[in-house]
């Protein structure tokens, strides 16, 4: 798991492909997260609260992990929900 501040306007899919070097083949209906058998990326939109940057969360299951897209989706959704509880946008 990693997270980082990033410039506004990027989608989870664009960040996954260009910055996280992930190759998601599935995405949520709202576009807040994308995932595959081994990777997942979610966005936390701090710019919607007037901040200058957004936060991107990246999860990877590699090097001996068992590829499982359903597990990656459940994990990134649960992690994003818990991450939001800490009010991360206030830390900018």
């Amino acid at each position: 798991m990693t997270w980082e501040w990033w410039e506004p306007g990027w989608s989870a899919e664009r960040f996954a492909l260009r910055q996280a070097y992930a190759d998601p083949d599935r995405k949520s209906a709202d576009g807040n997260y994308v995932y595959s058998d081994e990777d997942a990326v979610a966005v936390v939109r701090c710019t919607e609260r007037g901040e200058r940057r957004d936060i991107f969360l990246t999860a990877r299951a590699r090097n001996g992990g068992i590829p499982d897209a359903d597990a990656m989706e459940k994990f990134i959704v649960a992690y994003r929900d818990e991450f939001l509880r800490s009010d991360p946008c206030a830390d900018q």
Side-chain angles (χ1 to χ4, degrees):
M1 272 309 302
T2 61
W3 67 272
E4 62 186 285
W5 290 100
W6 200 255
E7 62 191 65
W10 283 55
S11 68
E13 186 172 24
R14 181 179 177 202
F15 186 88
L17 293 169
R18 299 224 176 129
Q19 294 305 124
Y21 305 106
D23 190 16
D25 54 4
R26 299 173 183 126
K27 65 181 172 181
S28 64
D30 62 8
N32 283 330
Y33 64 90
V34 295
Y35 60 101
S36 68
D37 288 342
E38 296 182 332
D39 302 293
V41 172
V43 61
V44 174
R45 295 281 177 213
C46 295
T47 52
E48 291 176 357
R49 294 181 46 187
E51 302 297 336
R52 294 173 288 142
R53 295 182 178 259
D54 292 324
I55 300 171
F56 285 87
L57 312 170
T58 303
R60 298 184 193 286
R62 295 197 177 142
N63 299 326
I66 299 171
D68 186 336
D70 291 335
M72 291 303 293
E73 179 184 27
K74 288 177 186 172
F75 179 79
I76 201 67
V77 169
Y79 187 81
R80 183 179 185 271
D81 289 347
E82 191 62 29
F83 190 80
L84 285 168
R85 291 182 67 205
S86 71
D87 196 17
C89 297
D91 293 338
Q92 183 169 337

